[in-house]
Amino acid sequence: MKNITIYFILFFFLLISKVMGQETFESEAKRIANKIEKITKEEKEALKEEVEAVNVQLSEGKITQQQADKRKKELAEARAVIIEEKITLAQNELNDLVQKKVDGKIKEDSSKVYMIRWKSHKDSKDSIHGEKRTTSQFVFAMGLNNMMVDGKLQDSNYSFIGSHFYEWGFTYNSRLLKNDNLLHAKYGLSSMYNNIRPTDNRSFVVNGDQTNLEVNPVNLNESRFRNVYLVAPVHLEFDFSRPVESNGKTYFKTHRSFRFGIGGYAGINVKSKQILKFEEEDLKYKTTIKGDYNVNNFIYGLSSYIGYRELSLYFKYDLNPLFQNNLIKENNISLGLRVDLN
């Protein structure tokens, strides 16, 4: 796990480079999609204004109800023809784009297949789908980890850059109000890995009910203390994704805009171990020592995140100390990035 951060960063940039390689096709497809949406929206707005003008004439007694109904029908049919013609032109653009992709004129990651289907104005009422009131996400988070004592960060005792946390799990996201998308209850189950790396060639030594940092007699290349937890996080999430209006109906979607969550977590410690690496006579050694180290069997704390769409800045803080009976109470604190994938 020593180089997992480097590997993750390399993977991230590799993923970005692949996405950039297919930007041409996707951006063109998106442009055409936006064009079709704009056509439909503009023509509907124009029809709405024309119908309003007919209603004004009717209210002023300039035309009869029968004449007004006939005129509205004629206007709707005329706009339908215009929409059909304009969308047909946009669809031709899409067909040309797809043909270029098939002919190899547009570079694209061959491992991905894009299925695009455009619907005409006749069945556009089915083209927008809202999410279920409760959805599920895969969550992954990683970042810096350290300890706090009386509000002070213990970066002199533990490496600031070298101490990390990792978390992954599944959550459910339930919209609390039937007709409003702002408030959500987010709850699930996660595995949490908290790593701290002592400085100055020190490691943890258990002395009765005390767990102390002491200088190791061996010159260590690495000293790492890891605790693994199974936790149940619960958050109240504020999602500012705007609802979509279509044909008089409101459709809700999540993770489309800014979000922030406040809440906490509680769980149990499932594993504690110390990993020591050193060299002697040109031989490399790695020692893994498992035990309870007087670590608290339970964990509970506060957590919060704020971000845009799937990516968030993530903060968590253990309210109970890491060790049960130590004279100095050290509480774990973490700050990193979190990804929630629908």
Side-chain angles (χ1 to χ4, degrees):
M1 296 287 288
K2 181 178 180 179
N3 297 319
I4 190 169
T5 304
I6 298 175
Y7 296 150
F8 182 84
I9 293 172
L10 290 175
F11 171 76
F12 177 79
F13 282 107
L14 179 62
L15 180 64
I16 291 297
S17 66
K18 287 187 176 182
V19 171
M20 291 296 290
Q22 22 180 68
E23 185 178 1
T24 302
F25 177 78
E26 291 193 54
S27 61
E28 281 298 300
K30 185 176 181 180
R31 181 186 65 80
I32 297 172
N34 291 337
K35 185 176 181 179
I36 292 174
E37 183 180 357
K38 184 179 179 181
I39 289 170
T40 304
K41 184 177 180 180
E42 288 178 348
E43 294 301 324
K44 285 184 176 180
E45 286 296 325
L47 176 60
K48 184 178 179 180
E49 291 178 3
E50 291 172 342
V51 170
E52 285 296 327
V54 173
N55 288 333
V56 171
Q57 290 180 322
L58 178 62
S59 64
E60 293 175 350
K62 295 180 180 180
I63 58 176
T64 65
Q65 182 67 54
Q66 185 178 4
Q67 290 173 324
D69 293 340
K70 181 180 179 182
R71 181 56 180 159
K72 289 178 184 179
K73 183 178 180 182
E74 291 172 347
L75 291 171
E77 290 174 348
R79 287 295 170 184
V81 171
I82 293 173
I83 293 174
E84 191 72 45
E85 290 175 349
K86 290 185 176 181
I87 288 182
T88 299
L89 292 175
Q91 277 190 297
N92 289 337
E93 285 187 61
L94 177 63
N95 294 337
D96 291 339
L97 180 66
V98 174
Q99 188 60 49
K100 287 179 181 179
K101 185 198 70 167
V102 173
D103 294 339
K105 295 180 181 179
I106 298 178
K107 292 183 179 180
E108 182 185 6
D109 184 357
S110 59
S111 65
K112 293 190 176 182
V113 178
Y114 295 87
M115 299 181 65
I116 302 176
R117 175 176 177 261
W118 302 111
K119 296 184 179 182
S120 69
H121 70 281
K122 294 179 181 179
D123 57 2
S124 61
K125 64 181 181 180
D126 296 324
S127 63
I128 300 176
H129 298 281
E131 293 177 353
K132 293 181 179 179
R133 191 162 175 177
T134 296
T135 59
S136 60
Q137 295 82 37
F138 171 75
V139 176
F140 176 76
M142 64 178 295
L144 300 177
N145 198 66
N146 218 291
M147 307 299 291
M148 295 280 287
V149 176
D150 296 329
K152 296 181 180 179
L153 190 68
Q154 302 300 292
D155 53 343
S156 61
N157 287 333
Y158 308 103
S159 171
F160 181 75
I161 300 298
S163 300
H164 307 125
F165 82 93
Y166 307 92
E167 180 181 340
W168 55 84
F170 293 91
T171 63
Y172 289 99
N173 191 340
S174 297
R175 191 172 75 249
L176 294 180
L177 302 176
K178 183 178 180 180
N179 297 315
D180 192 284
N181 201 38
L182 180 63
L183 297 178
H184 296 256
K186 199 171 180 72
Y187 48 95
L189 193 65
S190 292
S191 296
M192 188 182 293
Y193 289 66
N194 291 340
N195 295 278
I196 50 176
R197 282 184 165 88
T199 58
D200 301 328
N201 204 63
R202 290 177 294 177
S203 58
F204 284 103
V205 176
V206 177
N207 184 12
D209 63 354
Q210 298 293 299
T211 303
N212 305 316
L213 266 183
E214 297 183 6
V215 176
N216 198 292
V218 177
N219 186 27
L220 299 173
N221 294 332
E222 180 179 347
S223 174
R224 176 161 34 113
F225 187 57
R226 174 187 295 168
N227 286 281
V228 183
Y229 300 93
L230 185 64
V231 299
V234 178
H235 294 92
L236 176 64
E237 181 175 284
F238 297 80
D239 193 323
F240 294 92
S241 301
R242 292 184 177 180
V244 179
E245 301 287 342
S246 178
N247 295 324
K249 293 184 179 180
T250 302
Y251 299 90
F252 297 105
K253 294 180 180 293
T254 59
H255 300 78
R256 300 299 178 95
S257 185
F258 288 98
R259 301 179 298 116
F260 75 91
I262 52 174
Y265 51 90
I268 58 173
N269 177 282
V270 295
K271 185 188 298 183
S272 296
K273 66 179 179 180
Q274 187 165 214
I275 301 167
L276 306 176
K277 293 183 180 180
F278 57 93
E279 294 183 13
E280 283 186 355
E281 299 179 356
D282 296 328
L283 296 176
K284 295 182 179 181
Y285 296 89
K286 177 181 178 181
T287 302
T288 301
I289 309 169
K290 297 180 181 179
D292 62 19
Y293 287 92
N294 295 316
V295 171
N296 266 309
N297 293 325
F298 299 96
I299 183 177
Y300 57 92
L302 301 175
S303 57
S304 181
Y305 54 89
I306 181 171
Y308 181 72
R309 297 177 72 94
E310 293 88 0
L311 186 64
S312 302
L313 183 66
Y314 184 39
F315 169 83
K316 60 188 182 72
Y317 176 73
D318 292 357
L319 292 176
N320 62 327
L322 176 61
F323 301 107
Q324 295 181 37
N325 302 306
N326 271 18
L327 297 177
I328 298 177
K329 305 298 183 183
E330 295 181 294
N331 297 64
N332 197 88
I333 186 171
S334 307
L335 179 66
L337 295 177
R338 168 183 173 129
V339 180
D340 293 66
L341 299 175
N342 269 320

